[in-house]
């Protein structure tokens, strides 16, 4: 294993994302990374040249989430004040500032090439934004035509926030193996993962959890969820039903889960440990 240093002095990197490869380029590996920083800046790095190519500042607050559009032509960024910016990594211009989640930090941004036409709106992709206050917005966008339309707005109930409790994050992800659905976990009335149908506009399935989740990832290849918890537990949950598989090995809360694009490997992280899991089952 080797590493290279991509530095932004005096600032803290809060989030990053790899640029997606062009459609149809089999086996290609992206050579660009976008990173969000504590000073509200976004920096685009070339991995092959180990240098920064572009710096933008669409935010005045620290970045908390960042993602590329599915074609890599736009960068979506969210900050701790709840603002979402859409910027061009080609020109450095910020094209949209969305304040729908204002007042609560953005926890997740995700884009997908789902069947946008199934929902009666124009666009080349769907994307979602999730904020710490248990709200999820789903959008249909066509960046070439400068279109961005709100498709759905979700708000999940929860009991009154207990004083002094460090609440778990609100997390959502499009479901790769269930078209028109997304999965949500967060502080709520029950400890569970919720499957929400964008067509039916309602929760269609619930999966009980042993605790509130601290991380979430959905396999792009098989119907499995990886869910991390604060008590060092990692759970692999088959969907729509089946017996979960629980694993230990972390030294602290499992705050990151990420399936590889193949679905055959899973990366998880806690305070001082990063583990790579080989998934050998069907």
């Amino acid at each position: 294993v080797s590493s290279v240093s991509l530095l932004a002095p005096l600032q803290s990197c809060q989030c990053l994302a790899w640029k997606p490869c062009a459609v149809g380029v089999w086996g290609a590996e992206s050579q660009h990374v976008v990173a969000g920083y504590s000073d509200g800046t976004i920096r685009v790095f070339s991995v092959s040249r180990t240098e920064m190519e572009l710096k933008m500042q669409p935010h005045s607050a620290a970045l908390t989430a960042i993602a590329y559009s599915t074609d890599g032509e736009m960068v979506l960024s969210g900050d701790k004040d709840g603002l979402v910016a859409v910027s061009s990594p080609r020109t450095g211009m910020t094209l949209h500032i969305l304040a729908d989640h204002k007042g609560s930090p953005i926890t997740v941004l995700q884009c997908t090439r789902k069947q946008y036409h199934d929902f009666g709106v124009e666009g080349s992709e769907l994307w979602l934004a999730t904020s710490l206050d248990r709200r999820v917005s789903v959008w249909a966008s066509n960046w070439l035509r400068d279109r961005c339309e709100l498709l759905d707005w979700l708000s999940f109930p929860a009991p009154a926030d207990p004083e002094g409790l460090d609440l778990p994050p609100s997390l959502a992800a499009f479901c790769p193996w269930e078209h028109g659905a997304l999965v949500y976990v967060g502080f709520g009335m029950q400890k569970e993962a919720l499957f929400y149908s964008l067509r039916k506009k309602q929760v269609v399935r619930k999966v009980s959890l042993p605790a509130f989740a601290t991380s979430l990832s959905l396999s792009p290849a098989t119907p499995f969820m990886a869910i991390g918890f604060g008590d060092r537990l990692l759970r692999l949950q088959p969907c729509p039903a089946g017996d979960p598989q629980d694993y230990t090995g972390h030294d602290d809360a499992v705050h990151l889960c990420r399936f590889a694009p193949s679905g055959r490997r899973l990366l998880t992280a806690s305070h001082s440990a990063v583990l790579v899991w080989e998934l050998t089952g069907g």
Side-chain angles (χ1 to χ4, degrees):
V1 178
S2 61
S3 64
V4 294
S5 179
L6 301 173
L7 298 178
L10 304 181
Q11 300 302 329
S12 171
C13 180
Q14 305 293 303
C15 47
L16 56 83
W18 285 92
K19 182 178 180 179
C21 296
V23 177
V25 182
W26 178 256
E29 184 176 90
S30 174
Q31 292 297 317
H32 286 87
V33 172
V34 64
Y37 286 82
S38 56
D39 63 349
T41 59
I42 296 172
R43 294 170 168 90
V44 178
F45 295 97
S46 168
V47 176
S48 58
R49 293 197 298 272
T50 65
E51 65 181 20
M52 185 177 71
E53 291 188 343
L54 180 68
K55 178 181 176 182
M56 305 177 280
Q57 186 154 11
H59 300 270
S60 58
L63 273 288
T64 53
I66 200 161
Y68 272 101
S69 60
T70 54
D71 60 7
E73 293 300 313
M74 295 293 166
V75 170
L76 285 72
S77 54
D79 66 26
K80 70 173 186 179
D81 291 337
L83 297 182
V84 175
V86 181
S87 308
S88 168
R90 290 183 180 271
T91 66
M93 294 180 60
T94 298
L95 307 178
H96 297 279
I97 295 287
L98 304 174
D100 299 72
H101 290 267
K102 187 175 182 180
S104 184
I106 302 298
T107 54
V108 177
L109 291 168
Q110 186 193 10
C111 302
T112 183
R113 289 190 180 93
K114 288 248 177 167
Q115 302 91 339
Y116 60 88
H117 50 271
D118 289 350
F119 304 104
V121 293
E122 293 185 17
S124 55
E125 69 180 18
L126 296 182
W127 63 274
L128 63 78
T130 308
S131 50
L132 189 60
D133 57 359
R134 304 174 300 279
R135 295 185 295 169
V136 181
S137 60
V138 183
W139 306 77
S141 298
N142 186 327
W143 306 121
L144 293 177
R145 296 185 179 181
D146 197 29
R147 295 181 65 90
C148 187
E149 182 177 349
L150 182 65
L151 178 66
D152 207 342
W153 182 264
L154 292 64
S155 184
F156 295 94
D161 295 351
E163 281 191 31
L165 179 66
D166 188 13
L167 294 180
S170 302
L171 306 171
F174 290 112
C175 187
W177 19 263
E178 191 169 325
H179 294 314
L182 61 83
V183 177
Y184 170 85
V185 295
F187 182 63
M189 307 304 292
Q190 303 292 335
K191 301 177 179 70
E192 57 192 3
L194 304 177
F195 283 73
Y196 179 88
S197 169
L198 291 168
R199 294 187 180 92
K200 297 181 179 180
K201 306 283 188 180
Q202 65 184 33
V203 174
V204 294
R205 192 162 67 256
K206 301 178 180 181
V207 177
S208 295
L209 302 176
F212 291 119
T214 53
S215 55
L216 170 73
S217 185
L218 277 61
S219 169
T222 55
F224 269 86
M225 294 189 297
I227 308 169
F229 299 97
D231 58 357
R232 301 176 293 177
L233 179 71
L234 170 69
R235 169 167 288 191
L236 287 181
Q237 175 71 56
C239 299
D243 294 330
Q245 306 166 46
D246 290 340
Y247 302 92
T248 57
H250 283 283
D251 59 350
D252 205 338
V254 184
H255 63 76
L256 176 70
C257 296
R258 288 290 185 274
F259 275 103
S262 66
R264 305 301 296 181
R265 289 186 175 90
L266 174 68
L267 184 145
T268 61
S270 58
H271 176 69
S272 59
V274 177
L275 303 181
V276 179
W277 307 77
E278 290 279 353
L279 305 179
T280 57

